[in-house]
Structure formats: structure tokens, C-alpha cells
């Protein structure tokens, strides 16, 4: 989707202002949650599906309809609103998944060595996931050469 740079800048600034307000509120909610599953796990479970859906929908915008060529809802306005909603959704739901996830590591143990081990495994698994995600498209194309991408 080709949006003018100034439109993207305004949209990005708008999303960042919304996130500046929402991050402290959600952080306060994360810290005040008390369930039998703990303070962090419910947020990760609730936000993960939203995070996945937001990621998927953000990268598959709908085709521009002829009705979007005139009036206030032009294709530029439509896609700027699309960007605002789904980029903001990705940022907020990602925050709602990753912040409790990273905070959970601190709460698992009070021993420094064990905590270092937990975060070491966390970082190693992230790096391994990035390597697999980077290599997967080439491998899939080699294994299935006749499949259109």
C-alpha cells in the first residue's frame, strides 16, 4: 500500500500518543492483577490471540474499492486508518504479551543464578526462532518449487 510519507508520519505519531497513555495504564493493570494463575499468565493468554490476529490482518489489507476514490474516505484515508488501528493493535497487544512474559522470568525465582539461566534460555530461544523464521522461506521454496508465493 503506497501511502504518502507525511500521512504515515501523522498516523505513527497518533498511534504513539495513544500508546504513551495506554502503556502506564496497562502496566498498572498487570501489576494489580491477582488470580490463581498468577499476575502475568492471564494477560499473556488473553492478549496472544489478539496479537496474532493483528499481525495477520495488518499485512493483508483489503483491495481498494472504487467507492474509495472520492469523498472524505479516499484510499489514502482508509489505509491511514487501517495502519492506525492495526499498528496500534499490534503494539498494544504485543506489549500485553511481552511485558508480562518478561516480568514472569523475574518472578519465577529469587536466586540470581537461576534467573540468569531463565533469561539465557529465553534469549537463546528468541535467537533460534529468528534464525528459523529467516531460513524458512528459502527452505520452503526449495522443498516446494512449483508453489506460487
Amino acid at each position: 500500500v503506497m501511502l504518502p510519507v507525511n500521512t504515515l508520519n501523522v498516523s505513527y505519531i497518533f498511534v504513539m500518543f495513544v500508546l504513551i497513555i495506554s502503556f502506564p495504564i496497562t502496566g498498572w493493570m498487570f501489576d494489580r492483577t491477582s488470580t490463581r494463575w498468577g499476575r502475568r499468565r492471564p494477560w499473556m493468554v488473553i492478549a496472544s490471540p489478539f496479537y496474532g490476529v493483528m499481525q495477520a490482518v495488518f499485512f493483508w489489507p483489503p483491495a481498494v474499492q472504487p467507492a474509495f476514490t472520492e469523498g472524505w474516505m479516499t484510499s489514502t484515508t482508509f489505509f491511514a486508518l487501517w495502519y492506525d488501528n492495526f499498528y496500534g493493535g499490534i503494539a498494544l497487544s504485543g506489549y500485553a504479551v511481552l511485558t508480562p512474559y518478561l516480568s514472569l522470568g523475574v518472578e519465577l525465582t529469587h536466586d540470581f543464578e537461576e534467573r540468569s539461566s531463565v533469561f539465557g534460555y529465553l534469549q537463546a530461544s528468541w535467537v533460534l526462532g529468528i534464525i528459523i523464521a529467516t531460513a524458512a522461506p528459502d527452505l520452503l521454496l526449495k522443498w516446494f518449487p512449483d508453489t506460487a508465493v
Side-chain angles (χ1 to χ4, degrees), residues 50-143:
F50 291 109
Y51 188 51
V53 168
M54 291 290 171
Q55 288 277 352
V57 174
F58 181 74
F59 290 106
W60 283 295
V64 177
Q65 301 298 322
F68 289 138
T69 56
E70 55 189 52
W72 74 272
M73 183 54 95
T74 62
S75 61
T76 302
T77 307
F78 174 78
F79 286 116
L81 292 171
W82 180 273
Y83 176 83
D84 286 348
N85 287 322
F86 290 103
Y87 178 70
I90 288 169
L92 191 57
S93 58
Y95 177 78
V97 171
L98 292 176
T99 301
Y101 179 65
L102 295 173
S103 300
L104 184 63
V106 175
E107 295 175 354
L108 289 176
T109 180
H110 296 290
D111 182 50
F112 176 78
E113 296 295 327
E114 289 178 0
R115 193 177 314 134
S116 296
S117 178
V118 166
F119 281 105
Y121 285 121
L122 170 71
Q123 292 297 322
S125 64
W126 273 358
V127 169
L128 182 63
I130 290 170
I131 291 169
I132 290 170
T134 304
D138 276 346
L139 293 174
L140 289 173
L141 286 174
K142 287 180 185 176
W143 292 337

